[in-house]
């Protein structure tokens, strides 16, 4: 894949990431205003982080599509890569918080709203962004993680392999372990709920039927499982190939990792909003209402630009007159 084709693919992917995540973010914001659920702030933060991923890669698109491009200075390239890594790390950390939020809602349903208050959710979001920025800008602070620059603005072109290994060890693998642990525990709790529901159905106690809140929680757990699966499938090839490249420099070419496998990882930022828009009925309904609202505002303007209507031929319709009006 040459530079121009890669730039076109990257530009299309960036546009889709920004558009879909912005739409889902607006829908989630409307849903939060309607329901006031604090747990949705994590999902909203996930959409914001993924949209920022799309925004930050536009600089690479400009370089790839330039006819006579010159390599940017070393510090500019380092900052560009730091701004790309930071929202990507924030997206991964937010997915951990989304999983933990659903885990807490299933495990401690009565203490959930007392534990996950607005202050706690805000502190978690601020903390994860600080951690993500620390991970992304660590090479700017520690110059030992910087690579000798040869004019190729890529991850391995400006960062030492040790830094990439640190990112993998403190980012991907702990996140994967936490995902697996929390979801296995969620499945265990969910199986106990299913057994309880079956017992209640056999006994016929309608008063102890499962509440809609538990049903919505189980649907959210299903959505989280799909998010985790897409995350693993999207980023695992890039992380595993990067570790292999760190240990064996001649095993894999850099272009395979930094173009094909990295594009596959970026697709995760596009899949996240699509998953929520498809699997979560509340989010899908908000997007539908938002599209109807835009349609009502856009189409009248479109008809006004087309000019006044030409009156149709034939007699004008006769307006019906009620009996009291006829007596008057």
């Amino acid at each position: 894949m040459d530079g121009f084709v890669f730039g076109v693919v990257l530009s299309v992917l960036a546009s889709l990431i920004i558009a879909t995540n912005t739409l889902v973010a607006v829908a989630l914001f409307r849903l939060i205003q309607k329901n006031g659920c604090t747990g949705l702030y994590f999902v909203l933060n996930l959409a914001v982080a993924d949209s920022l991923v799309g925004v930050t890669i536009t600089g690479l698109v400009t370089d790839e599509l330039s006819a006579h491009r010159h390599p940017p200075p070393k510090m500019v390239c380092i900052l560009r890569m730091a701004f790309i890594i930071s929202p990507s790390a924030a997206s991964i950390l937010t997915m951990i918080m989304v999983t933990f939020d659903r885990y807490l809602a299933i495990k401690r349903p009565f203490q959930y709203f007392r534990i996950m208050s607005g202050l706690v959710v805000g502190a978690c979001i601020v903390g994860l962004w600080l951690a993500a920025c620390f991970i992304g800008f660590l090479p700017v602070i520690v110059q030992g993680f910087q690579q000798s620059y040869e004019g190729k603005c890529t991850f391995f072109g400006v960062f030492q392999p040790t830094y990439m290994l640190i990112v993998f060890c403190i980012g991907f693998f702990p996140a994967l372990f936490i995902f697996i642990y929390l979801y296995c525990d969620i499945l265990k709790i969910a199986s106990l709920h299913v057994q309880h529901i079956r017992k209640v159905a056999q006994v016929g106690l309608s008063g102890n039927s499962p509440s809609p809140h538990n049903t919505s929680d189980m649907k959210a757990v299903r959505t989280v499982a799909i998010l985790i699966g897409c995350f693993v499938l999207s980023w695992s090839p890039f992380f595993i190939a990067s570790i292999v490249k760190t240990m064996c420099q001649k095993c894999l070419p850099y272009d395979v990792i930094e173009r094909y496998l990295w594009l596959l990882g970026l697709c995760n930022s596009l899949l996240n909003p699509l998953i929520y828009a498809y699997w979560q009925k509340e989010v899908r309904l908000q997007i539908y209402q938002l599209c109807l609202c835009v349609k009502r505002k856009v189409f009248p303007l479109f008809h006004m630009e087309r000019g006044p209507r030409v009156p149709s031929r034939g007699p004008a319709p006769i307006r019906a007159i009620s009996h009291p009006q006829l007596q008057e």
Side-chain angles (χ1 to χ4, degrees), residues 25 37 42 78 127 136 145 151 174 180 196 229:
C37 181
F42 291 124
I78 291 175
F145 290 137
I180 294 174
H196 175 70

Side-chain angles (χ1 to χ4, degrees), residues 34-92:
K34 181 180 178 181
N35 297 339
C37 181
T38 56
L40 289 176
Y41 281 106
F42 291 124
V43 187
L44 176 61
N45 189 71
L46 179 62
V48 172
D50 286 332
S51 62
L52 289 178
V53 172
V55 172
T56 53
I57 63 178
T58 54
L60 297 178
V61 173
T62 305
D63 290 343
E64 295 292 340
L65 295 180
S66 299
H68 304 285
R69 63 177 186 270
H70 298 282
K74 179 179 179 180
M75 185 52 62
V76 174
C77 184
I78 291 175
L79 290 175
R80 179 179 293 174
M81 292 300 145
F83 277 110
I84 293 175
I85 293 176
S86 296
S88 301
S91 177
I92 296 175

Side-chain angles (χ1 to χ4, degrees), residues 172-207:
F172 177 75
F173 292 112
L176 185 60
F177 175 77
I178 293 173
F179 286 152
I180 294 174
Y181 172 77
L182 291 179
Y183 196 72
C184 288
D185 205 3
I186 288 175
L187 287 179
K188 183 173 67 175
I189 298 171
S191 64
L192 294 177
H193 286 184
V194 171
Q195 293 177 5
H196 175 70
I197 292 171
R198 289 177 179 175
K199 290 181 181 179
V200 170
Q202 291 176 359
V203 176
L205 299 177
S206 59

Side-chain angles (χ1 to χ4, degrees), residues 228-245:
I228 295 172
C230 291
F231 166 76
V232 174
L233 294 176
S234 300
W235 281 112
S236 292
F238 175 77
F239 288 139
I240 294 174
S242 299
I243 292 176
V244 172
K245 186 65 178 178

